[in-house]
């Protein structure tokens, strides 16, 4: 079985690669005046980038949740 940490790294790199590909393809569409497709691909690039940072985003969310929970007591 593949180590779980290695698979997380591979998936994270795939998300970063997907974000880059979507961004550069969106740039091509934007230069060709296909604005809707460009914005759609930039949205896809943003979601892929957020997917690559999913563990860091989860840490921030948990930290904020803990701060709110501790502040209400």
């Amino acid at each position: 079985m593949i180590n779980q940490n290695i698979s997380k790294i591979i998936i994270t790199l795939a998300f970063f690669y997907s974000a880059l590909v979507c961004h550069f393809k969106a740039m091509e569409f934007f230069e060709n005046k296909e604005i809707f497709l460009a914005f759609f691909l930039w949205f896809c690039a943003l979601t892929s980038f957020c997917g690559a940072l999913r563990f860091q985003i989860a840490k921030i969310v948990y930290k904020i949740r803990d701060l709110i929970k501790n502040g209400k007591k």
Side-chain angles (χ1 to χ4, degrees):
M1 180 124 294
I2 297 176
N3 189 352
Q4 205 171 25
N5 289 331
I6 293 173
S7 64
K8 287 180 184 178
I9 291 171
I10 292 170
I11 292 170
T12 300
L13 290 175
F15 273 124
F16 276 125
Y17 178 76
S18 174
L20 284 174
V21 169
C22 286
H23 169 69
F24 288 121
K25 192 64 177 175
M27 294 283 287
E28 288 179 25
F29 281 127
F30 190 74
E31 289 173 358
N32 293 334
K33 307 290 191 245
E34 296 183 46
I35 305 300
F36 179 75
L37 284 174
F39 282 118
F40 176 72
L41 282 174
W42 274 319
F43 175 74
C44 292
L46 176 67
T47 57
S48 290
F49 188 72
C50 289
L53 299 176
R54 64 197 179 280
F55 298 117
Q56 289 76 16
I57 293 170
K59 285 180 187 178
I60 291 170
V61 168
Y62 288 139
K63 200 171 270 194
I64 291 171
R65 235 174 53 181
D66 289 341
L67 288 173
I68 292 172
K69 185 178 177 181
N70 292 335
K72 287 185 178 180
K73 288 184 177 182

